[in-house]
Amino acid sequence: GGGPNNHIGNRHFRSLVQDFQPIYLPLRRKDKPLMARSVVLIVRNRGGRFLTKSKASGEYYEVGDEKAEAKASQALREGMQ
């Protein structure tokens, strides 16, 4: 079980988020989006992608910068076990 959570890319993402959290959490509100953008850029520079599955076709596609940064922000805020 576990599905996408066990995918190697998602494990790398969670590990990266854990590394950045101690820096992210005390940042001022206006500086936090830059940190989320940095996480997205690091993932992409390492060959990673931010994907979602189409309900219609069942195929995966890249979500784009805005959604990727929102996902990174959420992960940095909430923490991911």
Side-chain angles (χ1 to χ4, degrees), residues 48-64:
R49 299 176 296 167
F50 289 83
L51 304 175
T52 195
K53 194 175 193 176
S54 165
K55 285 184 173 68
S57 69
E59 294 185 24
Y60 285 92
Y61 62 93
E62 170 70 51
V63 298

Side-chain angles (χ1 to χ4, degrees), residues 6-42:
N6 288 327
H7 188 279
I8 188 72
N10 289 329
R11 292 206 309 258
H12 286 305
F13 174 70
R14 287 194 300 271
S15 174
L16 187 63
V17 164
Q18 281 183 323
D19 290 345
F20 274 85
Q21 261 186 332
I23 304 161
Y24 177 86
L25 293 172
L27 283 178
R28 290 183 306 230
R29 187 179 177 96
K30 70 181 183 70
D31 296 325
K32 289 184 176 185
L34 195 60
M35 178 73 68
R37 185 167 303 134
S38 298
V39 168
V40 170
L41 288 172
I42 291 167

